[in-house]
Amino acid sequence: MTRLLPLLITALLSFQITLASLSTFDSWPHQRIQLPDVSIHFRYFGSGPPILLVHGFPQHSLTWHTIGPILAQNYTVIAPDIRGMGDSSLSTSGNYTAHAAGTDLKAILDFLDITQTYVYAHDKGVGLATSLALEHPALVKRIILSEYVLPGYGYTTEVTSADLYQNWQLAFFAVPDAAAFFIQGREKEMLSWYFFHASYSGTAAISNDYLTRYANELAKPGFLHSGLMYFAAVWDDATYFESAFGQGEGPRRLSMPVLVLGGEASLAQWPVGEEWKKVGVSVSQDVIPKAGHWIGDENPEWSARRAAQFFGEDGGIPAVDLAGLTDVVNLIEQ
């Protein structure tokens, strides 16, 4: 505990959370951009340097309903729905690889004329964010990667026992047609088990209201299947990352500072930081206390403070002002 005091005191002094002044995520403005094979929806709020928040499965941008408003007190926060999830559309190409979905993130930043950003990614969003950082290292100044290891670098679909609490669902979800057949019509039951399975606090991890909202998104025609396609893409993702980090005269690496986060009841129990050190030159790791996989629901204040501390250690990037988007029409030519 003594070892943690300097970190906690620094975080508290540099980033105060005023609960009464927090925005409500559902009240954040929306924006939508049309790309060649998908329409991407995102929310945004705040002022200051930009932070791009990238969610995973089975959630959508609502993942950030707690962490986002805290960070938006000091930053401009952008929270997209990745392709095939939330209020973004299904991909007409059917491509849900990390590289393809990572190009959507670049398109959002290009649309907003953002030339440098911080990134905070969770679960499957980590693969997308890693692709963005790998392909555009000058764009991503610092990056937080929570609760995920890359295909080719620790991610496995192997089922080694009948233990209910191992991650057998990674193999099950990777066959989308079969998984969707068994889950369709029982989305809420599946999510209730999934959130419990990977939590610290058990069934209290996700409220019934948010459980229903996540289930409703997956129950839309085609959206359960599209979410599962991120799992089916892991073999293509492994090929991509293994090739990308190994090409050229010497191995490529993530050149920006990387913070790897794991919940104490989840990935922090494995040496995931060692896997990330294989692909990054400046990798640090921390444990999210009193949390499993669902960091935004189980310990959002600690997660937001730690993010603010990590981003605050940087020399700074230009602030952005997105107020001008309010009356922008961009889906049709005028």
Side-chain angles (χ1 to χ4, degrees), residues 19-39:
L19 294 177
S21 66
L22 289 182
S23 58
T24 302
F25 186 79
D26 286 336
S27 70
W28 285 17
H30 305 251
Q31 187 67 47
R32 184 177 294 278
I33 60 173
Q34 181 63 52
L35 304 178
D37 67 334
V38 69
S39 171

Side-chain angles (χ1 to χ4, degrees), residues 182-200:
F182 288 109
I183 296 170
Q184 201 85 48
R186 293 176 52 84
E187 291 86 357
K188 190 172 182 179
E189 288 82 356
M190 182 275 286
L191 289 179
S192 181
W193 168 82
Y194 198 21
F195 287 132
F196 165 77
H197 164 78
S199 71
Y200 177 95

Side-chain angles (χ1 to χ4, degrees), residues 295-312:
I295 64 173
D297 296 279
E298 297 193 280
N299 202 341
E301 291 189 12
W302 189 98
S303 301
R305 283 195 184 104
R306 188 65 182 93
Q309 184 198 34
F310 177 68
F311 296 142

Side-chain angles (χ1 to χ4, degrees), residues 253 260 272-285:
R253 295 291 182 265
V260 176
V272 295
E274 296 306 309
E275 293 295 335
W276 282 106
K277 288 176 182 178
K278 296 175 183 178
V279 300
V281 298
S282 179
V283 177
S284 56
Q285 184 177 4

